[in-house]
Amino acid sequence: MAVIEPTNTLEQILVPFKGATGWRGDFAERLKKDGLPTKRDEDWKWSDVTRASKGILGKGKVQFRSSVPPEWTEVRRAADQDFFSNLLAYAAVQAVPFFEPKNLTVLDLDFRALRGVSHAAATIVAGAGVKFRVHEHYSSEEQAFSAMGVDYVVGPGSHVERVILIDEAPKSVLLLSSGVTLHETGEFVQTVISQGGKLVRHETQLHSAGGGAKATLNAAYLVGKGAQADIVTRVNMAGPGGQLSQLIKGIAYGGGRGVFQGKIHVEQAAQKTDANMTHRGMIVDEKSEINAKPELEIYADDVECAHGNAIGTLDEMALFYMQQRGLPEADARRLLVESFLDEALAEITHDRTAQTIRGVVAQRLKGLV
Amino acid sequence: MSMLEIKNLHAAVGDDKPILKGLDLSVPKGEVHAIMGPNGSGKSTLSYVLTGRDGYVVTDGSITYDGEDVADMAPEVRAAKGLFLSFQYPVEIPGVPTLTFMKEALNAQRRTRGEDDMSAPDFMKHVREKAKLLNISGDMLKRPVNVGFSGGEKKRLEILQAAVFEPRFLILDETDSGLDIDALKVVADGVNALRSPDRGMLVITHYQRLLDHIAPDVVHVLSAGKIVASGGPELAKELEAEGYDKYVRAA
């Protein structure tokens, strides 16, 4: 019998689902019927994944490395749940690497997507009263399409700090998603650094139980020519007395595109919620573009919630001031842009990690801005 | 030739709006000249044209500094040659600590002049000496440039930068604006400490008050983009008493 080779990215994505049953089979049916998201889907209106992934074919692979060996677990999901990219990542893998650190200060995870279509997933659990950092690094070859899911559970009294550095190749697509379950008195601090790719979307869905739970979701994106970086957050504040702080800052230059979509949903039970979400974008030239949609949906009456969104350009007066003091224009621009992004990196507590990240950001901005 | 020699200067903001219309001015080294004028006479435009702000276009005439025509030079090149502007509204730069900024700027100037960088310990010693004079704390220097500074702190920081960079020619744009009398005294003392036989200064101000503290050698009146009168310090007193009316009408 002749083997029919996939002729488009969707067919290639469906290959691992051949003969799948249960929720995986149901998800495959849904995918076959609806296809990949398009601009017509509200959640994806600035992220045309169908178009970005066009022409990416062949079976790819994600090379995964971790600083400690994982255990393995099976996953079960509901095929109709409203977290498409996460389902796409988890449905195609049978067993998921699983970490439950107990006496560890830092866990390093490295994901590298090879050319072609691939999936990967991992799950990290912080039980009760543990504290650790996770450093995740993502990179790829050109012409890769990968869906990756990294989920977290943060137990009572636990503290997890997560730093995500995304180094995608310019002609590749990465849909990276995380479901985070935050228990009472748990703390989760996340910082994403993304320079985009053909399309790089980082999505976080966080469920906070309240009761002293604290979440920080920060991100810095910098997109140049031909690159798009999306930062998407959906937070559900479910119980009383939860805290949430979000600062997302981004820079688009040379024709780059940045997207921020953030939604905070405060349930009626979540009284005394303290939540704020701020997005600041800087568009360096006329070719570039940033789109943002911050949303609050509040069903409790005794809460403090705020969101702010501002998109501006490089401050010409500041630029002149710095030049007047002797800094060449290029250096002045770089310093302004670096300092603009820096605020979003403030929650990285480990000095050496913060230094490395700042170095990476400075390197990327060199000669580009 | 004087240190700063401006001849028949015409300048416009953007494409169309002419502001300076044939300005002549000559400031020899070692002298302090004041420029006084009513609002809209072109005082701030002059300071920006001299230092090369983008969008401030010289349409005719020349600006000669130290024997060189600087009108087409980039702002940072003029800065390295020793032209310093104390801004009327010093700009906030969030995220950049003041010390870091001053060190980067000083070394950028030195590199442009073909000199070596100043070492970190030398720089710290240099700044500390000057900061003491202007009553600027180490804490203030750690904060981002001008962010959250009071009006007086901002102006003190401008003069500190002048003291640290040791420019050869200072332009002070409305340095007295937003200052109470105590702050004004500190700032004026800082400026007076910079007076030297090798250095020229142009003090731009709307009010005579500043000139009680920084005594000028020559006072010029700017009206409608031209110098319409020049004289000794007594001219400033006359303006204070009688206002700019007669010069506005004459222009």
Side-chain angles (χ1 to χ4, degrees):
Chain A
M1 200 173 78
V3 178
I4 301 165
E5 291 290 328
T7 56
N8 62 46
T9 312
L10 180 62
E11 285 176 22
Q12 186 71 55
I13 290 170
L14 283 163
V15 168
F17 294 99
K18 207 173 168 223
T21 54
W23 72 276
R24 291 193 166 86
D26 294 344
F27 177 71
E29 282 306 313
R30 174 184 165 188
L31 189 56
K32 219 179 282 178
K33 192 168 131 273
D34 298 344
L36 289 168
T38 67
K39 288 196 285 190
R40 284 185 297 276
D41 298 285
E42 181 61 22
D43 282 355
W44 297 77
K45 65 176 176 180
W46 292 304
S47 323
D48 195 336
V49 57
T50 302
R51 197 168 151 192
S53 59
K54 204 170 171 184
I56 298 179
L57 281 172
K59 190 173 177 300
K61 187 184 175 204
V62 176
Q63 291 176 333
F64 173 67
R65 282 181 308 182
S66 55
S67 56
V68 296
E71 295 174 52
W72 295 85
T73 183
E74 282 190 38
V75 287
R76 218 178 278 268
R77 293 289 166 97
D80 60 348
Q81 84 181 38
D82 178 31
F83 195 1
F84 176 81
S85 38
N86 200 252
L87 275 176
L88 184 61
Y90 273 89
V93 290
Q94 297 295 325
V96 174
F98 171 82
F99 301 87
E100 191 170 359
K102 288 195 177 73
N103 300 303
L104 198 66
T105 50
V106 59
L107 170 64
D108 287 304
L109 304 179
D110 190 89
F111 299 82
R112 180 166 175 80
L114 305 185
R115 187 190 181 93
V117 173
S118 59
H119 303 74
T123 295
I124 292 126
V125 174
V130 293
K131 180 176 179 172
F132 56 84
R133 305 192 311 269
V134 183
H135 296 162
E136 298 170 28
H137 181 238
Y138 296 84
S139 63
S140 77
E141 291 185 344
E142 287 290 21
Q143 296 288 334
F145 173 98
S146 52
M148 303 196 204
V150 178
D151 285 1
Y152 280 79
V153 176
V154 181
S158 282
H159 183 290
V160 175
E161 180 183 328
R162 181 186 188 205
V163 178
I164 302 142
L165 179 62
I166 304 175
D167 262 326
E168 193 74 359
K171 293 194 177 84
S172 291
V173 176
L174 170 64
L175 305 181
L176 172 57
S177 61
S178 292
V180 181
T181 306
L182 182 58
H183 289 264
E184 290 188 0
T185 69
E187 190 166 351
F188 182 73
V189 182
Q190 171 174 295
T191 307
V192 184
I193 299 95
S194 173
Q195 64 171 344
K198 187 103 179 270
L199 173 62
V200 169
R201 179 170 162 117
H202 186 276
E203 217 171 330
T204 310
Q205 284 205 6
L206 183 140
H207 179 94
S208 170
K214 280 188 195 170
T216 304
L217 300 177
N218 289 357
Y221 61 85
L222 47 159
V223 281
K225 188 180 175 189
Q228 175 164 348
D230 291 17
I231 302 292
V232 181
T233 63
R234 298 268 179 272
V235 177
N236 185 44
M237 306 295 284
Q243 287 179 35
L244 170 70
S245 164
Q246 292 189 250
L247 178 63
I248 292 90
K249 294 190 106 174
I251 289 178
Y253 53 88
R257 281 164 60 94
V259 174
F260 169 65
Q261 292 192 82
K263 189 173 190 173
I264 304 174
H265 177 102
V266 182
E267 291 184 18
Q268 196 175 4
Q271 301 293 350
K272 305 279 181 199
T273 287
D274 181 352
N276 66 74
M277 167 166 64
T278 303
H279 171 251
R280 298 257 179 279
M282 188 191 281
I283 301 175
V284 176
D285 49 48
E286 284 171 5
K287 290 177 286 185
S288 310
E289 153 182 350
I290 293 177
N291 292 290
K293 194 173 93 174
E295 291 174 277
L296 288 178
E297 216 176 85
I298 304 171
Y299 296 95
D301 48 24
D302 184 15
V303 298
E304 288 210 27
C305 292
H307 69 80
N309 176 44
I311 296 169
T313 55
L314 208 58
D315 183 347
E316 292 296 328
M317 197 61 194
L319 206 57
F320 171 59
Y321 183 79
M322 295 165 94
Q323 285 181 268
Q324 206 300 304
R325 297 300 142 92
L327 286 170
E329 188 182 345
D331 291 358
R333 290 173 88 91
R334 186 179 43 77
L335 201 58
L336 274 180
V337 168
E338 261 177 51
S339 61
F340 175 79
L341 284 182
D342 203 58
E343 205 190 345
L345 308 177
E347 296 300 325
I348 303 174
T349 55
H350 188 244
D351 280 347
R352 234 182 50 215
T353 306
Q355 246 173 46
T356 306
I357 298 287
R358 288 197 172 96
V360 168
V361 169
Q363 196 56 40
R364 285 176 188 174
L365 290 172
K366 218 171 198 172
L368 289 171
V369 173
Chain B
M1 189 187 263
S2 285
M3 190 174 203
L4 181 70
E5 197 78 53
I6 301 173
K7 288 221 168 85
N8 188 34
L9 184 64
H10 287 72
V13 182
D15 288 336
D16 46 10
K17 215 172 142 201
I19 307 281
L20 300 182
K21 302 162 188 167
L23 186 142
D24 292 297
L25 181 69
S26 170
V27 185
K29 66 178 176 182
E31 288 192 9
V32 174
H33 287 213
I35 291 203
M36 300 186 68
N39 290 329
S41 58
K43 298 194 300 293
S44 281
T45 299
L46 176 61
S47 71
Y48 291 145
V49 169
L50 290 177
T51 48
R53 183 174 168 191
D54 206 20
Y56 288 70
V57 191
V58 174
T59 50
D60 200 4
S62 63
I63 305 166
T64 312
Y65 165 72
D66 255 355
E68 255 186 307
D69 190 335
V70 296
D72 289 330
M73 289 180 185
E76 60 267 31
V77 176
R78 299 188 210 195
K81 287 183 183 293
L83 267 177
F84 181 93
L85 169 63
S86 169
F87 280 57
Q88 180 178 5
Y89 303 109
V91 182
E92 297 187 3
I93 312 173
V96 182
T98 303
L99 262 183
T100 310
F101 174 67
M102 290 200 295
K103 185 159 173 281
E104 292 234 357
L106 176 65
N107 284 331
Q109 288 193 23
R110 293 170 68 103
R111 264 171 254 143
T112 306
R113 292 194 293 260
E115 301 166 11
D116 288 338
D117 280 14
M118 190 182 268
S119 73
D122 286 350
F123 173 77
M124 286 309 298
K125 194 167 159 252
H126 182 58
V127 171
R128 243 182 249 130
E129 274 170 23
K130 313 285 183 190
K132 214 190 305 174
L133 214 72
L134 283 151
N135 201 12
I136 288 175
S137 66
D139 183 53
M140 203 170 129
L141 295 175
K142 283 185 198 136
R143 282 151 56 189
V145 180
N146 289 317
V147 177
F149 285 26
S150 70
E153 285 175 329
K154 283 181 181 171
K155 294 297 169 78
R156 261 150 58 203
L157 184 64
E158 291 296 279
I159 305 308
L160 174 66
Q161 290 179 63
V164 168
F165 299 150
E166 300 175 318
R168 303 201 47 239
F169 196 92
L170 259 82
I171 303 157
L172 306 175
D173 187 7
E174 306 270 358
T175 290
D176 52 332
S177 70
L179 295 189
D180 62 32
I181 192 70
D182 294 326
L184 180 60
K185 231 187 142 305
V186 175
V187 167
D189 287 349
V191 173
N192 286 327
L194 288 167
R195 292 180 86 138
S196 109
D198 292 327
R199 190 174 276 144
M201 285 194 202
L202 196 58
V203 180
I204 296 173
T205 181
H206 185 87
Y207 301 105
Q208 191 261 340
R209 170 177 96 141
L210 178 68
L211 305 180
D212 286 339
H213 301 273
I214 304 170
D217 297 296
V218 181
V219 175
H220 307 275
V221 182
L222 179 66
S223 181
K226 267 180 168 167
I227 301 293
V228 293
S230 300
E234 71 285 350
L235 183 54
K237 302 259 195 253
E238 180 205 310
L239 287 168
E240 184 73 1
E242 296 171 20
Y244 290 108
D245 273 9
K246 106 176 169 197
Y247 298 105
V248 172
R249 278 200 306 274

